[in-house]
């Protein structure tokens, strides 16, 4: 497997006997997923997506990406949650957090509609300036407030700059195949549309047009991502937990949870992994956090956060475990040179690379945290390239689904997300919410 679970540091916390106890539950989850008999079984499209994805649409995605690269200096990707995080995570994982500063021959890419902050939107308008730009509006439902509001403003900008027809050639809508406000508007205005398949929920949708169009615009090899996901699909299909690190990860998480470890901190030593952490938090948080249950997903980038969160992790309340994603090789290397004066006393590192020092930081930390009663699951990945990204995405998605079934929840719904929306609509005076508005205002005043 390209993502390998190193169980060395978890052994002191979870015994092989405990793994045997949970094995039948994991196997039952495997069967439920494969046979489509589990909760939320109308949202299993992601399971075979790496093999069964729409090849014609995939070609259209590449074509649209080329057009955007040619006619736009900036692409604004409008979406929130599952319609936002995957694309950004992938671009930063493969390229950099500084993609917009480092990009060569491809458009800058900004994300909007993931907040309701006016400052953030005004800033984006300023960044775009008078440059040529396109918009990829992504919303499965087509009705989510945050992206809808941002899109209204950006559409107006496009129309006043290029005219209605010119704007239509620069708007790409990724939404439901047939229904929803965005689909109707796109059909009416003649926007190019891409599909979020019915049976793929937002947080499992990065390997559809939702993620792939922005990723392709960034000049990233989407074929290699799909190849990695295909291989993960084959490797993670093995029922036997001892031969399937994806299932083993799901098993360890649940065993730790049952043992009072209620918070999982996903950790990487690469800042380019920051948005993958955010994607992971949505994937697992939205999938498992329901029915009064679920591991709380948190994240950190080390060694950066060892200087802010390190104290708590080492000695705070003992409800934590860590899942550390380590990469064998960095994308680039830096060598530390010998210095005659040795004022900083660092000559003991002369000739060493920064990745070697980073590795030692990981090794020292994993042992320290284990000593501090923080179990560490380690996921080893060779490098941060497209293939391994595709593999990792599928590995984590499947681990999440299996984990959710073992926990006894529906990992494919998110009923709780509606509560804030209903209150917000009521308070904003949306027709149909009058009763709730009066009740909420009485509570607020
Ligand atoms: O995972 C999910 O379903 C959510 O995070 C959605 O992706 C998010 O709420 C955006 O929804 P939509 O794509 O319908 O605008």
């Amino acid at each position: 497997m390209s993502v390998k679970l190193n169980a060395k540091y978890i052994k002191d916390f979870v015994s092989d006997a405990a793994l045997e106890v949970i094995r039948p539950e994991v196997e039952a989850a495997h069967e439920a997923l494969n046979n489509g008999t589990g909760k939320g079984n109308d949202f299993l499209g992601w399971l075979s997506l790496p093999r069964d994805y729409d090849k014609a649409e995939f070609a259209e995605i590449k074509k649209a990406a080329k057009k955007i690269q040619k006619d736009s200096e900036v692409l604004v990707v409008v979406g929130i949650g599952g319609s936002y995080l995957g694309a950004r995570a992938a671009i930063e994982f493969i390229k950099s957090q500084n993609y917009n500063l480092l990009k060569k021959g491809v458009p800058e890419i900004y994300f909007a509609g993931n907040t309701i902050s006016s400052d953030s939107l005004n800033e984006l308008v300023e960044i775009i300036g008078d440059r040529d730009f396109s918009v990829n509006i992504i919303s499965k439902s087509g009705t989510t407030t945050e992206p809808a509001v941002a899109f209204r403003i950006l559409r107006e900008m496009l129309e006043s700059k290029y005219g209605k027809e010119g704007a239509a050639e620069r708007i790409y809508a990724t939404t439901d195949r047939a229904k929803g406000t965005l689909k109707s508007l796109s059909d009416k205005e003649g926007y190019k549309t891409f599909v979020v398949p019915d049976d793929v929920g937002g947080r499992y949708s990065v390997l559809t047009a939702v993620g792939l169009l922005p990723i392709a615009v960034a000049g990233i090899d989407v074929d290699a991502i799909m190849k990695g996901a295909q291989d993960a699909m084959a490797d993670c299909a093995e029922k036997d937990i001892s031969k399937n690190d994806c299932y083993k990860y799901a098993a360890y998480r649940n065993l730790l949870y049952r043992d009072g470890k209620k918070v999982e901190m996903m950790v990487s030593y690469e800042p380019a992994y920051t948005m993958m952490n955010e994607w992971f938090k949505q994937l697992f948080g939205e999938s498992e956090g329901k029915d009064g249950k679920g591991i709380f997903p948190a994240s950190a980038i080390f060694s950066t956060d060892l200087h802010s969160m390190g104290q708590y992790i080492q000695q705070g309340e003992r409800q934590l475990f860590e899942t550390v994603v380590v990469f064998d090789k960095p994308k680039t290397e830096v060598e530390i040179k010998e210095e005659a004066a040795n004022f900083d006393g660092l000559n003991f590192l002369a000739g060493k690379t920064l990745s070697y020092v980073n590795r030692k930081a990981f090794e020292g930390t994993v042992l320290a945290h284990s000593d501090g009663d923080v179990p560490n699951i380690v996921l080893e990945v060779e490098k941060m390239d497209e293939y391994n990204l595709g593999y990792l995405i599928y590995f984590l998605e499947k681990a999440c689904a299996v984990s959710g079934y073992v926990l006894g929840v529906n990992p494919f719904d998110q009923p709780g997300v509606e509560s804030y929306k209903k209150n917000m609509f009521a308070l904003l005076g949306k027709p149909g919410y009058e009763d709730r508005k009066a009740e909420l205002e009485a509570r607020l005043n």
Side-chain angles (χ1 to χ4, degrees):
M1 298 184 83
S2 281
V3 175
K4 292 189 185 65
L5 191 151
N6 179 350
K8 191 174 167 55
Y9 308 102
I10 196 80
K11 291 274 183 219
D12 289 344
F13 298 90
V14 180
S15 67
D16 287 346
L19 266 185
E20 285 310 311
V21 169
I22 207 170
R23 178 191 281 267
E25 295 176 57
V26 174
E27 288 177 355
H30 166 91
E31 295 296 348
L33 268 182
N34 276 2
N35 302 330
T37 51
K39 291 178 184 167
N41 55 5
D42 41 353
F43 283 99
L44 296 180
W46 59 274
L47 203 52
S48 57
L49 196 64
R51 183 193 62 211
D52 300 336
Y53 66 94
D54 183 338
K55 312 294 182 300
E57 182 169 87
F58 194 73
E60 285 297 311
I61 290 172
K62 289 184 183 172
K63 213 164 111 191
K66 284 223 163 66
K67 178 176 177 300
I68 295 168
Q69 287 171 346
K70 220 164 129 197
D71 69 14
S72 303
E73 291 163 271
V74 175
L75 171 68
V76 182
V77 181
V78 184
I80 194 165
S83 293
Y84 153 59
L85 288 163
R88 183 163 171 195
I91 291 168
E92 296 194 5
F93 178 101
I94 297 295
K95 299 280 180 157
S96 161
Q97 285 183 298
N98 297 313
Y99 165 83
N100 285 328
L101 297 173
L102 296 169
K103 48 108 191 136
K104 290 187 186 76
V106 282
E108 288 174 21
I109 299 178
Y110 295 96
F111 293 87
N114 54 67
T115 161
I116 318 174
S117 157
S118 51
D119 291 345
S120 169
L121 197 57
N122 276 327
E123 200 176 284
L124 176 63
V125 170
E126 204 180 314
I127 289 169
I128 298 170
D130 58 7
R131 294 186 291 170
D132 283 320
F133 74 106
S134 294
V135 170
N136 179 200
I137 164 78
I138 309 174
S139 179
K140 186 177 182 186
S141 62
T143 55
T144 308
T145 310
E146 291 88 339
V149 169
F151 181 52
R152 180 183 272 222
I153 289 150
L154 290 159
R155 200 174 75 226
E156 203 179 279
M157 268 177 80
L158 279 170
E159 286 176 358
S160 66
K161 187 174 167 86
Y162 299 103
K164 233 174 165 19
E165 275 180 30
E169 284 181 17
R170 292 175 170 274
I171 294 174
Y172 302 81
T174 307
T175 188
D176 189 90
R177 187 184 303 277
K179 57 181 190 302
T181 319
L182 181 57
K183 176 64 182 159
S184 315
L185 177 71
S186 303
D187 288 347
K188 181 171 156 282
E189 302 292 343
Y191 304 153
K192 173 85 183 152
T193 56
F194 293 99
V195 174
V196 191
D198 277 349
D199 55 358
V200 180
R203 57 190 176 276
Y204 292 83
S205 69
V206 55
L207 299 177
T208 70
V210 170
L212 295 176
L213 178 58
I215 293 170
V217 172
I220 292 168
D221 181 354
V222 287
D223 290 291
I225 291 179
M226 294 311 278
K227 172 76 179 106
Q230 270 158 30
D231 287 354
M233 183 181 151
D235 293 348
C236 300
E238 169 63 56
K239 184 174 174 177
D240 184 348
I241 187 174
S242 60
K243 294 184 191 143
N244 187 340
D245 282 354
C246 169
Y247 288 3
K248 208 180 275 177
Y249 171 47
Y252 278 132
R253 298 177 79 252
N254 274 281
L255 287 167
L256 289 166
Y257 179 65
R258 289 173 194 180
D259 202 29
K261 302 295 185 188
K262 309 250 179 208
V263 179
E264 175 179 23
M265 187 170 274
M266 180 64 83
V267 172
S268 170
Y269 284 70
E270 291 297 337
Y273 201 83
T274 304
M275 287 307 296
M276 277 297 284
N277 274 339
E278 297 305 310
W279 173 81
F280 155 83
K281 286 195 280 194
Q282 187 203 356
L283 178 63
F284 280 77
E286 220 167 65
S287 298
E288 292 190 316
K290 54 197 68 161
D291 308 336
K293 298 193 266 192
I295 296 169
F296 183 84
S299 68
I301 296 296
F302 288 172
S303 65
T304 313
D305 295 330
L306 289 172
H307 295 258
S308 57
M309 295 300 292
Q311 171 57 39
Y312 187 103
I313 298 166
Q314 191 68 47
Q315 294 181 327
E317 190 171 345
R318 302 297 72 191
Q319 86 283 41
L320 278 175
F321 70 95
E322 289 169 313
T323 298
V324 190
V325 182
V326 280
F327 299 95
D328 296 345
K329 293 182 201 141
K331 291 179 204 144
T332 61
E333 201 42 283
V334 172
E335 193 184 306
I336 301 165
K337 300 247 163 38
E338 176 98 23
E339 204 181 76
N342 195 24
F343 286 129
D344 50 15
L346 286 177
N347 271 354
F348 74 101
L349 292 177
K352 303 277 195 306
T353 60
L354 269 192
S355 71
Y356 172 83
V357 179
N358 213 10
R359 178 83 201 175
K360 295 298 152 193
F362 155 66
E363 289 169 358
T365 305
V366 82
L367 294 176
H369 288 182
S370 300
D371 291 344
D373 194 22
V374 179
N376 269 247
I377 300 171
V378 177
L379 299 177
E380 293 172 343
V381 185
E382 191 201 354
K383 56 183 174 181
M384 296 179 88
D385 64 1
E386 284 93 339
Y387 176 87
N388 285 295
L389 173 66
Y391 198 106
L392 192 56
I393 286 170
Y394 189 89
F395 180 101
L396 291 171
E397 286 178 350
K398 187 136 193 222
C400 181
V402 169
S403 219
Y405 276 169
V406 171
L407 184 67
V409 299
N410 176 354
F412 308 113
D413 68 358
Q414 55 285 329
V417 182
E418 295 310 309
S419 304
Y420 100 90
K421 290 186 194 170
K422 286 182 192 150
N423 285 354
M424 182 175 76
F425 290 150
L427 291 168
L428 287 168
K430 188 172 178 174
Y433 290 82
E434 292 76 8
D435 288 353
R436 187 184 279 255
K437 181 174 171 38
E439 186 238 319
L440 293 176
E441 284 182 344
R443 281 169 62 195
L444 286 169
N445 293 327

